[in-house]
Amino acid sequence: LRGFDIHVKEGEFVAIIGFSGSGKTTILRALAGFEPLQAGQIDLDGRRIAEAGRGLPPEQRRLGMMFQDFALFPHLDVAANIAFGLRRRSRSERAAIVDEWLQRTGLPGHARRYPHELSGGQQQRVALARALAPEPALLLLDEPFSALDVDTRQRLIGELRGLFAATGTTVLMVTHDQHEAFGLGDRIGVMADGRLLQWGSAETLYRRPATPEVANFIGRGALLPPAVLGLAGEGTVLLRPEQLRVDAEGSLQGQVLDVRFLGPGQVAQVWLAEGHVVEIDVLPGIELAVGDAVRLALRDEDALPHFA
């Protein structure tokens, strides 16, 4: 990590995204106390928990962590897994807290089941309840949905956003999946080569990427010389699929290379001049086939991000 600097507000959900090797896991390890700092510092809730050469041990940092493989204890039932971080509480307090989190995570009646008896989504809920039961000042999520199927993942994203909002939990998640980050993050950071390229809302990252690297990583689109689109200027512009439409009077001419039906319309790959290929979303009622000549129009050329 080089020059990594962020401030997370209490109750905020932030996500860090980037390809493998970008530095995401190092952030989590440094926060959790598994990786010593060579420079800089980490403050949590007004308290310095780490700086160059020294730091509090992990168990004193008031951090919760949920791993991508859930890391549940196979020999403990659901209730015992959730209660694992509550050993300093009385037996009655532990029982009350476990029951509360079973209810909050939709697992009433599962207290005496073992991890191998649960579905992937249920295991994730148990891991989440275990991490949140001790009321951490910050919850760290490491690729929390990578082991789940798409349907379960989408359902849980909606459930967890409501849960975190209701509990006021401050969360930092790292993921390579921008859909997870966009679905949960109040603010999102994009990492590459140990550096934070941009930090902002999902809409800002999508509509106003700061660098070509961010533009390439976030969403679909192509970086093109302005001249290919009939525009003036140097450098490159970012063209998203929704910024083009099929129009018989359009100024751009191309040839359809590929068409996929994704419902309710099509997604087409179109070859433009000089070997540049763009992707467009084709509205229902417009039928394209491979090899078709097609004319396209820009919806709003002023909205195209430009990079020198």
Side-chain angles (χ1 to χ4, degrees):
L1 300 178
R2 293 163 289 170
F4 182 83
D5 186 11
I6 66 170
H7 177 261
V8 180
K9 301 174 184 177
E10 185 175 1
E12 189 175 30
F13 192 116
V14 300
I16 305 294
I17 59 178
F19 293 115
S20 297
S22 62
K24 305 187 306 297
T25 300
T26 303
I27 294 168
L28 288 189
R29 290 181 57 82
L31 285 167
F34 305 145
E35 197 77 53
L37 300 186
Q38 296 177 344
Q41 60 276 331
I42 302 172
D43 295 335
L44 178 61
D45 200 17
R47 181 179 62 148
R48 180 141 304 170
I49 63 172
E51 58 188 358
R54 63 179 180 175
L56 294 176
E59 65 273 14
Q60 294 180 18
R61 296 194 176 198
R62 291 192 60 218
L63 292 169
M65 190 161 185
M66 192 172 82
F67 301 92
Q68 57 184 298
D69 60 357
F70 312 139
L72 297 176
F73 301 111
H75 63 290
L76 299 180
D77 62 21
V78 167
N81 265 283
I82 297 174
F84 184 79
L86 304 172
R87 286 167 290 183
R88 296 184 179 181
R89 305 290 186 94
S90 68
R91 180 175 297 181
S92 60
E93 286 180 311
R94 289 199 302 270
I97 293 171
V98 168
D99 184 64
E100 176 188 1
W101 281 102
L102 287 171
Q103 298 295 327
R104 280 183 164 179
T105 53
L107 294 170
H110 290 68
R112 299 307 165 205
R113 294 191 181 183
Y114 285 83
H116 72 273
E117 299 176 306
L118 305 176
S119 68
Q122 290 171 334
Q123 290 182 33
Q124 194 208 44
R125 289 183 173 91
V126 176
L128 181 66
R130 181 181 63 185
L132 289 173
E135 299 180 341
L138 176 66
L139 175 65
L140 306 177
L141 302 180
D142 180 14
E143 300 276 4
F145 305 103
S146 62
L148 303 177
D149 62 77
V150 174
D151 290 340
T152 302
R153 183 183 311 168
Q154 292 177 341
R155 184 172 65 253
L156 280 172
I157 286 175
E159 292 177 5
L160 293 185
R161 185 157 183 81
L163 175 63
F164 294 140
T167 58
T169 305
T170 308
V171 184
L172 188 149
M173 175 179 75
V174 302
T175 178
H176 68 280
D177 191 319
Q178 62 180 277
H179 298 293
E180 295 175 7
F182 277 35
L184 286 165
D186 298 309
R187 288 187 294 164
I188 301 162
V190 181
M191 296 285 298
D193 299 322
R195 296 187 182 276
L196 184 65
L197 302 180
Q198 190 170 358
W199 177 247
S201 68
E203 183 176 4
T204 297
L205 296 177
Y206 186 84
R207 299 191 186 283
R208 298 187 296 279
T211 68
E213 291 84 2
V214 175
N216 273 325
F217 189 79
I218 299 295
R220 298 176 294 154
L223 291 168
L224 305 169
V228 173
L229 302 176
L231 305 176
E234 302 295 326
T236 57
V237 293
L238 172 63
L239 186 67
R240 301 286 192 195
E242 67 272 15
Q243 292 166 330
L244 285 171
R245 70 177 189 274
V246 177
D247 186 334
E249 304 299 322
S251 61
L252 302 177
Q253 300 182 55
Q255 184 178 31
V256 178
L257 298 179
D258 183 53
V259 180
R260 291 169 288 139
F261 178 80
L262 295 183
Q266 296 175 317
V267 173
Q269 301 279 339
V270 177
W271 179 87
L272 297 179
E274 301 176 6
H276 295 287
V277 177
V278 297
E279 189 173 272
I280 64 171
D281 295 327
V282 185
L283 297 176
I286 299 176
E287 297 295 332
L288 295 180
V290 173
D292 284 353
V294 63
R295 298 187 74 94
L296 306 172
L298 289 172
R299 295 186 183 277
D300 183 3
E301 65 182 65
D302 293 331
L304 303 179
H306 185 277
F307 304 100

